[in-house]
Amino acid sequence: MGGAAWRWALRAARLLPGAGGGRALAGRRGRPGCTPAACAPPSAGSASSSSGDEALRDRRARILSRGLPKQKPIEGVKQVVVVASGKGGVGKSTTAVNIALALAANDSAKEVGLLDADIYGPSIPKMMNLKGNPELTPKNLMRPLKNYGIACMSMGFLIEETAPVVWRGLMVMSAVEKLLRQVDWGQLDYLVIDMPPGTGDVQLSVSQNIPIAGAVIVSTPQDVALLDAHKGAEMFRKVHVPVLGLVQNMSVFQCPKCKHETHIFGTDGVKDLAKTLGLDILGDVPLHINIRETCDSGQPVVISQPQSDAAKAYHKIAMEILRRLPVPPA
């Protein structure tokens, strides 16, 4: 890794932007946000007790007055689409990559970006066949790496391929903030964000800090995956992010020899969940070896086999997403 990229990675690893790790840790020894007056044990006498109660009320009022963080658009990005799942291993990253490529293929005049927000397990570098360290602009912003016409950014560009990221939640949130704000995205019509599995810090941080045009939930028809997909959809609703619909991934396996179809993960489970949630199904993607092989080789199926049934499934999903997106700002 180049010196400039290492410096950026080290800044991303700090617990809070602009704060040294020691100061941030020291701030966590007491209760978050405590002032000496509010956190000090009450002394004897009713006057001291009354003063402590008043200080506590003032502190609570200040915290409540802050509300949620103000959403600030990413410079140069018109619309953000997040691809999420409650459960890992359901093909979310594969879906995000092929959706981004399908959006670009749908209209060559549109610029599309892809952000890998999975700090612990970045997949975009391998799937998009990208290696190397992003360059820094004169403004100290990261330049995305580009392939197949898609501008990509990932933590995977800043660490060795086999190096684990062993960070706490605040460090991860700080890194995600820098991937959002300290990247020179240029002018993008769509930024597709590949979210990590679950409903934790990263999902909340992204949802509350940038305006999101819509969320796409990916799941297999399996009951265990559906439980977490349900939670994922409800999380976005709670933070007022519109859910565009669900993608039923690995819906059916067709034997390449006899063409017999087997529903390995169950039948229409995602469709039933969509009815329960009052959402639409954006499309079905089959369980096909070509989808796995092409992503592993860094040549996603939408690019390498555009006439295949799998590629057509992703194109349909991209069209359904475009139909549901609000009119972008001028």
Side-chain angles (χ1 to χ4, degrees):
M1 184 183 297
W6 265 117
R7 288 194 296 274
W8 186 92
L10 289 172
R11 286 202 305 276
R14 295 187 178 189
L15 289 178
L16 292 172
R23 290 197 298 277
L25 285 172
R28 297 179 64 202
R29 286 172 186 157
R31 295 198 301 270
C34 283
T35 61
C39 294
S43 58
S46 59
S48 297
S49 177
S50 175
S51 175
D53 289 344
E54 186 176 347
L56 182 59
R57 284 194 296 270
D58 289 344
R59 183 170 67 85
R60 285 175 177 166
R62 286 197 303 273
I63 292 173
L64 290 173
S65 68
R66 295 174 195 161
L68 291 175
K70 262 193 174 180
Q71 289 187 332
K72 181 183 175 184
I74 302 172
E75 187 174 351
V77 177
K78 290 183 180 179
Q79 292 186 302
V80 174
V81 176
V82 298
V83 179
S85 67
K87 179 71 69 179
V90 297
K92 169 186 54 60
S93 295
T94 300
T95 303
V97 165
N98 282 289
I99 284 176
L101 291 165
L103 287 172
N106 178 67
D107 186 346
S108 60
K110 301 294 185 183
E111 293 293 331
V112 180
L114 181 60
L115 172 61
D116 189 349
D118 194 342
I119 302 297
Y120 294 119
S123 303
I124 299 306
K126 184 171 183 61
M127 291 184 178
M128 291 296 287
N129 195 26
L130 287 167
K131 291 183 179 180
N133 307 132
E135 296 178 353
L136 288 178
T137 69
K139 294 184 178 180
N140 208 33
L141 299 176
M142 303 283 282
R143 280 201 180 99
L145 275 62
K146 202 165 187 177
N147 197 12
Y148 308 124
I150 307 294
C152 302
M153 182 52 63
S154 170
M155 196 67 197
F157 299 146
L158 302 173
I159 59 175
E160 298 298 328
E161 189 174 19
T162 58
V165 175
V166 189
W167 288 354
R168 297 182 187 274
L170 284 174
M171 298 166 71
V172 172
M173 290 165 66
S174 178
V176 169
E177 173 73 11
K178 292 180 188 299
L179 288 173
L180 290 170
R181 303 292 182 193
Q182 294 189 9
V183 174
D184 182 7
W185 288 106
Q187 298 298 313
L188 294 182
D189 294 284
Y190 310 109
L191 176 63
V192 178
I193 301 183
D194 178 22
M195 301 283 268
T199 56
D201 292 335
V202 173
Q203 287 82 356
L204 286 173
S205 182
V206 172
S207 301
Q208 293 177 352
N209 281 283
I210 62 171
I212 297 175
V216 175
I217 307 295
V218 180
S219 180
T220 63
Q222 185 180 4
D223 287 347
V224 173
L226 293 170
L227 288 171
D228 290 337
H230 193 154
K231 295 172 186 174
E234 292 294 353
M235 183 214 70
F236 283 116
R237 284 176 167 174
K238 285 182 182 295
V239 294
H240 309 294
V241 171
V243 180
L244 303 177
L246 281 70
V247 172
Q248 182 164 257
N249 200 26
M250 309 182 202
S251 57
V252 63
F253 171 74
Q254 185 183 73
C255 176
K257 293 185 178 180
C258 69
K259 305 302 181 184
H260 176 72
E261 292 188 346
T262 304
H263 294 86
I264 294 175
F265 295 105
T267 308
D268 292 339
V270 178
K271 293 181 180 179
D272 294 339
L273 176 61
K275 290 178 184 177
T276 300
L277 294 170
L279 295 171
D280 297 327
I281 288 287
L282 302 177
D284 284 78
V285 180
L287 177 62
H288 201 290
I289 191 170
N290 284 358
I291 298 176
R292 194 272 301 168
E293 287 180 340
T294 53
C295 269
D296 280 354
S297 66
Q299 304 174 68
V301 71
V302 166
I303 287 292
S304 59
Q305 301 176 18
Q307 299 306 314
S308 65
D309 289 341
K312 291 175 182 177
Y314 289 118
H315 279 288
K316 177 183 180 296
I317 293 167
M319 290 299 297
E320 292 296 326
I321 289 172
L322 292 175
R323 285 180 50 202
R324 290 163 174 77
L325 286 176
V327 177

Coordinates of all heavy atoms in Angstrom, one line a residue, residues 92-138:
K92 N -26.2 -11.1 -1.5 CA -26.4 -9.6 -1.5 C -25.4 -8.9 -2.4 O -25.7 -8.0 -3.2 CB -26.4 -9.1 -0.1 CG -26.4 -7.5 0.0 CD -26.3 -7.1 1.4 CE -25.1 -7.7 2.1 NZ -23.8 -7.4 1.5
S93 N -24.1 -9.2 -2.1 CA -23.0 -8.5 -2.9 C -23.1 -8.8 -4.4 O -22.9 -7.9 -5.2 CB -21.6 -8.8 -2.3 OG -21.5 -8.3 -1.0
T94 N -23.3 -10.0 -4.7 CA -23.4 -10.4 -6.1 C -24.6 -9.7 -6.7 O -24.5 -9.2 -7.9 CB -23.7 -12.0 -6.2 OG1 -22.6 -12.7 -5.6 CG2 -23.9 -12.4 -7.6
T95 N -25.7 -9.5 -6.0 CA -26.8 -8.8 -6.5 C -26.5 -7.3 -6.7 O -26.9 -6.7 -7.7 CB -28.0 -9.0 -5.5 OG1 -28.3 -10.4 -5.4 CG2 -29.3 -8.2 -6.1
A96 N -25.8 -6.7 -5.7 CA -25.5 -5.3 -5.8 C -24.6 -5.0 -7.0 O -24.8 -4.0 -7.7 CB -24.8 -4.9 -4.5
V97 N -23.6 -5.9 -7.2 CA -22.7 -5.7 -8.3 C -23.4 -5.7 -9.6 O -23.3 -4.9 -10.5 CB -21.6 -6.7 -8.3 CG1 -20.8 -6.8 -9.6 CG2 -20.6 -6.4 -7.2
N98 N -24.3 -6.8 -9.8 CA -25.0 -6.9 -11.1 C -26.1 -5.9 -11.3 O -26.3 -5.5 -12.4 CB -25.5 -8.3 -11.2 CG -24.5 -9.4 -11.5 OD1 -24.0 -9.4 -12.7 ND2 -24.1 -10.2 -10.6
I99 N -26.7 -5.4 -10.2 CA -27.6 -4.3 -10.3 C -26.9 -3.0 -10.8 O -27.4 -2.3 -11.7 CB -28.3 -4.0 -9.0 CG1 -29.4 -5.1 -8.7 CG2 -29.0 -2.7 -8.9 CD1 -30.1 -5.0 -7.4
A100 N -25.8 -2.7 -10.2 CA -25.0 -1.5 -10.6 C -24.7 -1.6 -12.1 O -24.8 -0.6 -12.9 CB -23.7 -1.4 -9.8
L101 N -24.2 -2.8 -12.6 CA -23.8 -2.9 -14.0 C -25.1 -2.9 -14.9 O -25.0 -2.3 -16.0 CB -23.1 -4.3 -14.2 CG -21.7 -4.4 -13.5 CD1 -21.3 -5.8 -13.5 CD2 -20.7 -3.5 -14.3
A102 N -26.2 -3.4 -14.4 CA -27.4 -3.3 -15.2 C -28.0 -1.9 -15.3 O -28.5 -1.5 -16.3 CB -28.5 -4.3 -14.6
L103 N -27.8 -1.1 -14.2 CA -28.3 0.3 -14.3 C -27.4 1.0 -15.3 O -28.0 1.9 -16.0 CB -28.1 0.9 -12.9 CG -29.1 0.5 -11.8 CD1 -28.6 1.1 -10.4 CD2 -30.5 1.0 -12.1
A104 N -26.1 0.8 -15.3 CA -25.3 1.4 -16.3 C -25.6 1.0 -17.7 O -25.6 1.8 -18.7 CB -23.8 1.2 -16.0
A105 N -25.8 -0.3 -17.9 CA -26.1 -0.8 -19.2 C -27.5 -0.3 -19.7 O -27.7 -0.2 -21.0 CB -26.1 -2.4 -19.2
N106 N -28.4 -0.1 -18.8 CA -29.7 0.4 -19.2 C -29.7 1.7 -19.9 O -30.5 2.0 -20.8 CB -30.6 0.5 -18.0 CG -32.0 1.0 -18.3 OD1 -32.8 0.3 -19.0 ND2 -32.3 2.2 -17.8
D107 N -28.7 2.6 -19.5 CA -28.6 3.9 -20.1 C -27.1 4.3 -20.1 O -26.6 4.7 -19.0 CB -29.5 4.9 -19.4 CG -29.5 6.3 -20.1 OD1 -28.7 6.5 -20.9 OD2 -30.4 7.1 -19.7
S108 N -26.5 4.3 -21.2 CA -25.0 4.6 -21.2 C -24.7 6.0 -20.9 O -23.6 6.3 -20.6 CB -24.5 4.2 -22.6 OG -25.1 5.0 -23.6
A109 N -25.7 6.9 -20.9 CA -25.5 8.3 -20.5 C -25.4 8.5 -19.0 O -25.0 9.5 -18.5 CB -26.6 9.2 -21.1
K110 N -25.9 7.4 -18.2 CA -25.9 7.5 -16.8 C -24.6 7.1 -16.2 O -24.0 6.1 -16.6 CB -27.0 6.7 -16.2 CG -28.4 7.1 -16.7 CD -28.8 8.5 -16.2 CE -30.3 8.8 -16.6 NZ -30.7 10.2 -16.3
E111 N -24.1 7.8 -15.2 CA -22.9 7.4 -14.4 C -23.3 6.7 -13.2 O -24.2 7.2 -12.4 CB -22.1 8.7 -14.1 CG -21.5 9.3 -15.3 CD -20.4 8.5 -16.0 OE1 -19.8 7.7 -15.3 OE2 -20.3 8.6 -17.2
V112 N -22.7 5.5 -12.9 CA -23.0 4.7 -11.8 C -21.8 4.4 -10.9 O -20.7 4.2 -11.5 CB -23.7 3.4 -12.2 CG1 -24.0 2.5 -11.0 CG2 -24.9 3.6 -13.1
G113 N -22.0 4.5 -9.6 CA -20.9 4.2 -8.7 C -21.3 3.0 -7.8 O -22.5 2.7 -7.6
L114 N -20.3 2.4 -7.2 CA -20.6 1.2 -6.3 C -19.7 1.4 -5.0 O -18.5 1.4 -5.1 CB -20.3 -0.1 -7.0 CG -20.5 -1.4 -6.3 CD1 -21.9 -1.6 -5.9 CD2 -20.1 -2.6 -7.2
L115 N -20.4 1.5 -3.9 CA -19.6 1.6 -2.6 C -19.8 0.3 -1.8 O -20.9 -0.1 -1.5 CB -20.2 2.8 -1.8 CG -19.6 2.9 -0.4 CD1 -18.1 3.1 -0.4 CD2 -20.3 4.1 0.3
D116 N -18.7 -0.3 -1.4 CA -18.7 -1.5 -0.5 C -18.6 -1.0 0.9 O -17.6 -0.6 1.4 CB -17.4 -2.3 -0.9 CG -17.4 -3.7 -0.2 OD1 -18.3 -3.9 0.6 OD2 -16.6 -4.5 -0.6
A117 N -19.8 -1.0 1.6 CA -19.9 -0.6 3.0 C -19.6 -1.7 4.0 O -19.7 -1.5 5.2 CB -21.2 0.1 3.2
D118 N -19.3 -2.9 3.5 CA -19.0 -4.0 4.4 C -17.5 -3.9 4.7 O -16.6 -4.4 4.0 CB -19.3 -5.3 3.7 CG -19.3 -6.5 4.6 OD1 -18.8 -6.4 5.7 OD2 -19.9 -7.6 4.3
I119 N -17.2 -3.3 5.8 CA -15.8 -3.1 6.3 C -15.1 -4.4 6.6 O -14.0 -4.6 6.3 CB -15.8 -2.1 7.5 CG1 -16.5 -0.8 7.1 CG2 -14.3 -1.9 7.9 CD1 -15.8 0.0 6.0
Y120 N -15.8 -5.3 7.3 CA -15.2 -6.5 7.8 C -15.0 -7.5 6.6 O -14.0 -8.3 6.7 CB -16.1 -7.2 8.8 CG -16.2 -6.4 10.1 CD1 -17.4 -5.9 10.6 CD2 -15.0 -6.1 10.9 CE1 -17.5 -5.2 11.8 CE2 -15.1 -5.3 12.0 CZ -16.4 -4.9 12.5 OH -16.4 -4.2 13.6
G121 N -15.9 -7.6 5.7 CA -15.8 -8.6 4.6 C -16.0 -8.0 3.2 O -17.0 -8.3 2.6
P122 N -15.1 -7.1 2.8 CA -15.3 -6.4 1.5 C -15.2 -7.4 0.3 O -14.3 -8.2 0.2 CB -14.2 -5.4 1.4 CG -13.2 -5.9 2.3 CD -13.9 -6.6 3.4
S123 N -16.2 -7.4 -0.6 CA -16.2 -8.4 -1.7 C -16.1 -7.7 -3.1 O -15.8 -8.3 -4.1 CB -17.6 -9.1 -1.7 OG -17.8 -9.8 -0.5
I124 N -16.4 -6.4 -3.1 CA -16.4 -5.7 -4.4 C -15.1 -5.7 -5.2 O -15.1 -5.9 -6.4 CB -16.8 -4.2 -4.2 CG1 -18.2 -4.2 -3.6 CG2 -16.8 -3.4 -5.5 CD1 -19.3 -4.9 -4.3
P125 N -13.9 -5.6 -4.5 CA -12.7 -5.7 -5.3 C -12.5 -6.9 -6.2 O -12.2 -6.9 -7.3 CB -11.6 -5.6 -4.2 CG -12.2 -4.8 -3.1 CD -13.6 -5.3 -3.1
K126 N -12.8 -8.1 -5.6 CA -12.7 -9.3 -6.3 C -13.8 -9.5 -7.4 O -13.5 -9.8 -8.5 CB -12.8 -10.5 -5.3 CG -12.6 -11.9 -6.1 CD -12.5 -13.0 -5.1 CE -12.2 -14.3 -5.8 NZ -10.9 -14.3 -6.5
M127 N -15.0 -9.1 -7.0 CA -16.1 -9.3 -8.0 C -16.0 -8.3 -9.2 O -16.4 -8.6 -10.3 CB -17.5 -9.1 -7.3 CG -17.8 -10.1 -6.3 SD -19.5 -9.9 -5.6 CE -19.6 -11.3 -4.6
M128 N -15.4 -7.1 -8.9 CA -15.2 -6.2 -10.0 C -13.8 -6.2 -10.6 O -13.5 -5.4 -11.4 CB -15.5 -4.8 -9.5 CG -17.0 -4.5 -9.2 SD -18.1 -4.6 -10.6 CE -17.6 -3.1 -11.4
N129 N -13.0 -7.2 -10.2 CA -11.7 -7.4 -10.7 C -10.8 -6.2 -10.6 O -10.2 -5.7 -11.6 CB -11.7 -7.9 -12.2 CG -10.4 -8.4 -12.7 OD1 -9.6 -9.0 -11.9 ND2 -10.2 -8.3 -14.0
L130 N -10.8 -5.6 -9.4 CA -10.0 -4.4 -9.2 C -9.0 -4.6 -8.1 O -9.3 -5.2 -7.0 CB -11.0 -3.3 -8.7 CG -11.8 -2.7 -9.8 CD1 -12.9 -1.8 -9.2 CD2 -11.0 -1.9 -10.8
K131 N -7.8 -4.1 -8.3 CA -6.7 -4.2 -7.3 C -6.0 -2.9 -7.3 O -6.0 -2.1 -8.3 CB -5.7 -5.3 -7.6 CG -6.3 -6.7 -7.4 CD -5.3 -7.8 -7.7 CE -5.8 -9.2 -7.5 NZ -4.8 -10.2 -7.7
G132 N -5.3 -2.6 -6.2 CA -4.5 -1.4 -6.1 C -5.0 -0.4 -5.1 O -6.1 -0.6 -4.5
N133 N -4.3 0.7 -4.9 CA -4.7 1.7 -3.9 C -5.2 2.9 -4.6 O -4.6 3.4 -5.6 CB -3.4 2.1 -3.1 CG -2.8 0.9 -2.5 OD1 -1.6 0.7 -2.5 ND2 -3.6 0.0 -1.8
P134 N -6.3 3.5 -4.2 CA -6.8 4.7 -4.8 C -5.8 5.9 -4.6 O -5.1 6.0 -3.6 CB -8.1 5.0 -3.9 CG -8.4 3.7 -3.3 CD -7.1 3.0 -3.1
E135 N -5.7 6.7 -5.6 CA -4.9 7.9 -5.6 C -5.6 9.0 -4.8 O -6.9 8.9 -4.6 CB -4.6 8.4 -7.0 CG -3.8 7.4 -7.8 CD -3.6 7.9 -9.2 OE1 -4.2 9.0 -9.6 OE2 -2.8 7.3 -10.0
L136 N -4.9 9.9 -4.3 CA -5.4 11.1 -3.6 C -5.4 12.3 -4.5 O -4.5 12.5 -5.2 CB -4.6 11.4 -2.3 CG -4.8 10.4 -1.2 CD1 -3.9 10.8 0.0 CD2 -6.2 10.3 -0.7
T137 N -6.5 13.1 -4.5 CA -6.6 14.3 -5.2 C -5.9 15.4 -4.4 O -5.5 15.2 -3.3 CB -8.1 14.7 -5.4 OG1 -8.6 15.1 -4.1 CG2 -8.9 13.6 -6.0
P138 N -5.6 16.6 -5.1 CA -5.0 17.7 -4.3 C -5.8 18.1 -3.1 O -5.3 18.7 -2.2 CB -5.0 18.8 -5.4 CG -4.9 18.1 -6.7 CD -5.8 16.8 -6.5

